[in-house]
Amino acid sequence: MEYKDVELNKKLIRVFKNGNVHLFKTKNGEYTTPFDNPSGYKTYRKKTKSYYIRIQINRKKYYAHRIVAFAFLGLDIKNTKLQVDHNNHDTENNSVENLDVCTGSQNKQNRRNIKGYWLNKKTQKYEAHIRINNKRIYGGSYDTEEEAHARYLELKMIHHDYYRYVICSH
């Protein structure tokens, strides 16, 4: 199994491509067995309604997906503006193949269950829309929810490069 040894918060850790993170004690400069739970512990994030694996290293808490991205994808772990996207939406799958470093805006493009339309009560029509850099782009009004949602998906393909890369290439 492929891994990298990296230093994080003054502690040497072994990060595997499959998403496992092991913390090691060193004895005379040699590795011994892992001393913490290799998978870390699950923590529930209300905001995203998902479970994430969190690991504590010298009293500082890190998300496992950020550690894997730091080791293999070049993430600056201190830069909180950069996020790590789980391509298949499984937040417990921290394998390198399932992760991408992205901005917050790009990460939102990979969200599930977004309707992309709303009912205009005045006209009784469904209006499609999409957001780009916090600006709403109008996609037209439609008689049915299905038509409005289809237009929303078209707008995603046109305007969201990240969506096109992550969703359509997998």
Side-chain angles (χ1 to χ4, degrees):
M1 189 172 305
E2 201 172 331
Y3 64 87
K4 281 188 179 181
D5 292 334
V6 295
E7 187 177 321
L8 190 58
N9 203 22
K10 298 180 183 173
K11 185 65 87 176
L12 204 52
I13 60 174
R14 181 164 284 175
V15 183
F16 293 86
K17 274 196 160 188
N18 70 357
N20 286 338
V21 177
H22 292 222
L23 307 175
F24 286 87
K25 290 182 180 175
T26 56
K27 189 173 187 178
N28 300 330
E30 294 181 14
Y31 289 115
T32 60
T33 57
F35 66 88
D36 278 358
N37 179 350
S39 301
Y41 57 93
K42 292 181 186 178
T43 182
Y44 183 72
R45 290 198 61 206
K46 207 174 193 179
K47 186 176 180 183
T48 57
K49 297 179 183 158
S50 297
Y51 284 92
Y52 290 86
I53 306 298
R54 208 153 76 173
I55 297 170
Q56 187 165 323
I57 303 171
N58 282 348
R59 297 186 182 154
K60 185 164 169 118
K61 295 174 184 171
Y62 295 92
Y63 287 108
H65 59 277
R66 290 187 65 81
I67 295 172
V68 173
F70 168 69
F72 291 101
L73 302 176
L75 172 71
D76 176 2
I77 204 154
K78 293 177 183 173
N79 184 350
T80 56
K81 289 186 179 183
L82 287 178
Q83 296 182 2
V84 179
D85 181 32
H86 290 82
N87 296 330
N88 70 358
H89 305 283
D90 179 1
T91 57
E92 295 178 52
N93 176 1
N94 294 316
S95 65
V96 174
E97 296 80 24
N98 188 41
L99 302 177
D100 279 318
V101 176
C102 59
T103 64
S105 176
Q106 290 170 327
N107 201 0
K108 288 176 186 167
Q109 293 173 21
N110 190 20
R111 290 186 3 208
R112 286 189 288 191
N113 302 326
I114 303 297
K115 293 190 324 184
Y117 62 89
W118 62 284
L119 176 64
N120 183 328
K121 291 184 180 178
K122 283 185 182 178
T123 64
Q124 289 299 306
K125 296 212 177 222
Y126 295 93
E127 296 184 0
H129 59 86
I130 196 165
R131 285 201 175 275
I132 300 169
N133 297 328
N134 287 329
K135 292 184 181 176
R136 192 166 139 169
I137 296 179
Y138 177 70
S141 63
Y142 302 90
D143 294 326
T144 67
E145 293 180 61
E146 292 79 16
E147 291 174 313
H149 184 66
R151 178 60 180 150
Y152 164 73
L153 293 176
E154 288 174 15
L155 290 170
K156 274 185 88 81
M157 289 298 291
I158 293 166
H159 294 288
H160 286 169
D161 292 338
Y162 186 73
Y163 172 82
R164 187 171 37 239
Y165 164 73
V166 172
I167 305 303
C168 301
S169 66
H170 287 90

